[in-house]
């Protein structure tokens, strides 16, 4: 009496099967197996990266955010729209109305703001000898190709209203993806499962130089999802028809300050930071080392002492504090130690660094340091002398 070995593994059975075949049949068998595997990879990979249709989601389907803007019908959150070039001759503090500063500066004269904005636009148009590139930063879980988004721009007209002035396909500026385990990689980037990680992503939106003028500068920008077929035939009716009309679905376009000789420092996200004395020591050390501007992304859970300290350095011009939170799912996540070893933690923390580099693009030097890190030169007195 004979017994079958039912405990033999699948790879072992395949090896046993191929050993009974001739050499030519073995080659055909393994070639066919690799072709099937390659076809399966391409099918699942493309089905996850290409949006074949735009799903219609109910309003407020995902977690709302006071800082991030959720794209309509897409699991994508936008944080800012920044040009990657700073106007050389425009007023130092010119922006187009950012709302992320927890203590925004207010002007006593709306007419003065309009005049300064018009003057800055004139400088920008005169200095540009290339297309204007606007980088939109955010957290994206849609896993769609950049061409599945349309860049939409709005311009302010004379009566104070806004109108869609230009639209074009988006392209990838930067995507922060770290290596994952095999199981997580298969689930996140291979098979058509619902992704669980929002990836820190930056999209590039370009406006041709011929479409720019002092009266036609972009004031608001956003992304709008389109399907693959719509991206192929979008030129028939123009891309502007995909753009939302409500201003609340747009981000203000910001122009970084021009400071070619200054040193800017990106300090990541401030979340329940150490005591105010430690932060005070760190700020003063950076100032003595020659840092001209420090950008801190603030989640708003500071102590009253730390808030007063931040306000002091804001008034002195050293600190720029930018509001920050964590939108989407899972709700209630933070940047505390309990979330530190998750894939989402890395993306949430890295987005602030990527955005800060664009925000400080007008500076001559840019550093990224935590509040427990200091770069101390051995010989030169200041950091700028060392970096020079």
């Amino acid at each position: 009496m004979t017994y079958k070995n039912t405990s033999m593994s699948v790879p072992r059975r395949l090896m046993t099967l191929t050993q009974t075949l001739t050499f030519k049949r073995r080659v055909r068998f393994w070639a066919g197996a690799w072709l099937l595997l390659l076809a399966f990879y391409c099918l699942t990979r493309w089905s996850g990266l290409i949006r074949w249709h735009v799903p219609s989601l109910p309003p407020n389907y995902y977690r709302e955010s006071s800082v991030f803007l959720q794209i309509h019908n897409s699991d994508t959150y936008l944080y800012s729209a920044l040009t990657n070039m700073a106007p050389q001759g425009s007023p130092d503090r010119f922006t187009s109305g950012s709302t992320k500063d927890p203590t925004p500066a207010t002007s006593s004269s709306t007419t003065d703001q309009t005049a300064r904005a018009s003057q800055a636009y004139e400088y920008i148009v005169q200095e540009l000898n290339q297309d204007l590139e606007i980088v939109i930063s955010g957290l994206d879980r849609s896993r769609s190709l950049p061409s599945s988004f349309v860049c939409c721009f709005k311009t302010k007209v004379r009566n104070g209203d806004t109108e869609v002035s230009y639209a074009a396909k988006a392209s990838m500026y930067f995507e922060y993806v770290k290596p994952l385990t095999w199981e997580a990689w298969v689930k996140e980037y291979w098979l058509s499962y619902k992704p669980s990680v929002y990836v820190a992503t930056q999209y590039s939106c370009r406006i041709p130089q011929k479409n720019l003028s002092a009266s036609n500068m972009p004031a608001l920008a956003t992304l709008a999802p389109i399907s693959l077929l719509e991206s192929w035939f979008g030129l028939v009716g123009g891309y502007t028809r995909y753009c939302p009309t409500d201003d609340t679905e747009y981000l203000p376009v910001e122009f970084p300050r021009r400071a070619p000789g200054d040193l800017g420092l990106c300090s990541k996200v401030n979340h329940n930071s150490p005591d105010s004395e430690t932060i005070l020591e760190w700020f003063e050390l950076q100032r003595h080392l020659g840092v001209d501007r420090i950008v801190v992304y603030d989640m708003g859970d500071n102590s009253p002492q730390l808030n007063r300290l931040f306000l002091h350095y804001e008034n002195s011009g050293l600190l720029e504090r930018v509001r920050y939170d964590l939108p989407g799912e899972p709700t209630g996540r933070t940047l505390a130690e309990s979330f530190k070893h998750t894939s989402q933690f890395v993306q949430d923390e890295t987005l602030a660094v990527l955005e800060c580099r664009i925000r400080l693009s007008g500076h001559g030097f840019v550093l990224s340091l935590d509040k427990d890190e200091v770069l101390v030169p051995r010989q030169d007195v200041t950091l700028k002398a060392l970096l020079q």
Side-chain angles (χ1 to χ4, degrees):
M1 182 179 294
T2 59
Y3 297 92
K4 292 184 178 181
N5 186 5
T6 58
S7 61
M8 185 180 297
S9 62
V10 175
R12 185 68 178 273
R13 291 181 183 179
L14 289 176
M15 293 298 297
T16 304
L17 175 64
T18 55
Q19 289 175 358
T20 61
L21 302 176
T22 63
F23 176 76
K24 290 184 178 180
R25 290 185 176 181
R26 288 186 207 172
V27 174
R28 294 174 183 175
F29 175 82
W30 287 112
W34 279 109
L35 285 176
L36 286 176
L37 182 62
L38 180 62
F40 177 75
Y41 169 81
C42 294
L43 179 63
T44 55
R45 176 71 169 169
W46 278 88
S47 64
L49 287 177
I50 294 183
R51 183 192 295 112
W52 296 98
H53 69 283
V54 178
S56 180
L57 303 178
N60 303 325
Y61 182 76
Y62 300 102
R63 178 188 177 189
E64 294 183 355
S65 169
S66 60
V67 178
F68 283 80
L69 171 69
Q70 183 193 354
I71 298 180
H72 187 63
N73 288 335
S74 179
D75 197 0
T76 306
Y77 289 87
L78 307 182
Y79 183 66
S80 66
L82 290 159
T83 61
N84 67 346
M85 59 186 72
Q88 297 182 15
S90 63
D92 288 342
R93 296 184 179 276
F94 169 73
T95 60
S96 57
S98 172
T99 59
K100 291 182 174 57
D101 191 345
T103 56
T106 58
S107 175
S108 58
S109 174
T110 305
T111 305
D112 179 64
Q113 288 181 344
T114 304
R116 291 174 65 249
S118 177
Q119 181 186 14
Y121 285 150
E122 289 286 354
Y123 278 121
I124 295 171
V125 173
Q126 291 174 7
E127 293 175 359
L128 276 180
N129 56 2
Q130 57 184 352
D131 299 344
L132 179 65
E133 183 180 22
I134 297 176
V135 180
I136 298 180
S137 304
L139 294 170
D140 187 8
R141 198 172 70 167
S142 65
R143 297 295 190 275
S144 299
L145 290 175
S147 58
S148 298
F149 290 108
V150 170
C151 298
C152 301
F153 302 98
K154 271 193 169 188
T155 301
K156 292 183 179 180
V157 294
R158 292 182 178 180
N159 59 1
D161 296 334
T162 58
E163 60 181 14
V164 178
S165 58
Y166 187 75
K169 281 186 180 180
S171 60
M172 184 65 70
Y173 186 84
F174 191 85
E175 183 182 25
Y176 186 81
V177 179
K178 293 194 67 176
L180 303 173
T181 62
W182 169 255
E183 180 182 0
W185 182 78
V186 169
K187 183 176 180 181
E188 288 287 340
Y189 303 102
W190 205 22
L191 302 178
S192 299
Y193 289 100
K194 179 181 179 181
S196 60
V197 176
Y198 291 90
V199 177
T201 310
Q202 292 178 306
Y203 293 96
S204 173
C205 300
R206 289 184 174 271
I207 303 179
Q209 184 183 8
K210 63 181 181 180
N211 293 81
L212 296 174
S213 65
S215 59
N216 194 34
M217 292 296 290
L220 302 173
T222 192
L223 297 177
I226 59 174
S227 66
L228 181 65
L229 295 178
E230 288 174 323
S231 65
W232 286 347
F233 301 101
L235 289 174
V236 177
Y239 293 121
T240 55
R241 60 193 176 102
Y242 303 112
C243 299
T245 57
D246 194 347
D247 288 359
T248 58
E249 298 186 52
Y250 286 78
L251 294 170
V253 177
E254 304 175 59
F255 294 84
R257 188 176 65 169
R258 179 73 177 179
D262 288 356
L263 169 61
L265 191 152
C266 299
S267 181
K268 292 188 179 179
V269 183
N270 190 82
H271 55 95
N272 193 18
S273 293
D275 58 274
S276 55
E277 293 183 0
T278 303
I279 301 299
L280 172 63
E281 181 186 53
W282 186 80
F283 269 101
E284 285 300 315
L285 185 55
Q286 300 296 346
R287 184 172 65 85
H288 284 290
L289 287 172
V291 175
D292 298 289
R293 193 166 192 83
I294 300 175
V295 177
V296 172
Y297 294 81
D298 188 8
M299 294 192 67
D301 55 353
N302 308 316
S303 64
Q305 294 82 2
L306 188 56
N307 278 327
R308 287 195 294 268
L309 183 65
F310 281 159
L311 183 60
H312 165 74
Y313 283 107
E314 283 180 296
N315 294 334
S316 67
L318 177 65
L319 174 64
E320 178 182 356
R321 188 164 38 142
V322 189
R323 291 177 58 196
Y324 196 76
D325 63 11
L326 303 177
E329 303 170 326
T331 59
R333 74 180 189 274
T334 66
L335 295 179
E337 290 293 327
S338 55
F339 290 85
K340 199 166 186 177
H341 299 288
T342 62
S343 300
Q344 188 59 59
F345 177 93
V346 179
Q347 304 293 339
D348 292 339
E349 185 182 50
T350 302
L351 176 63
V353 178
L354 298 178
E355 203 266 357
C356 182
R357 293 176 181 176
I358 306 297
R359 185 173 293 273
L360 295 178
S361 59
H363 287 62
F365 309 95
V366 178
L367 286 175
S368 297
L369 296 175
D370 285 333
K371 297 180 185 64
D372 59 350
E373 299 172 346
V374 178
L375 180 60
V376 181
R378 289 186 176 182
Q379 298 178 354
D380 300 299
V381 177
T382 64
L383 289 174
K384 282 184 285 189
L386 171 68
L387 296 176
Q388 188 70 43

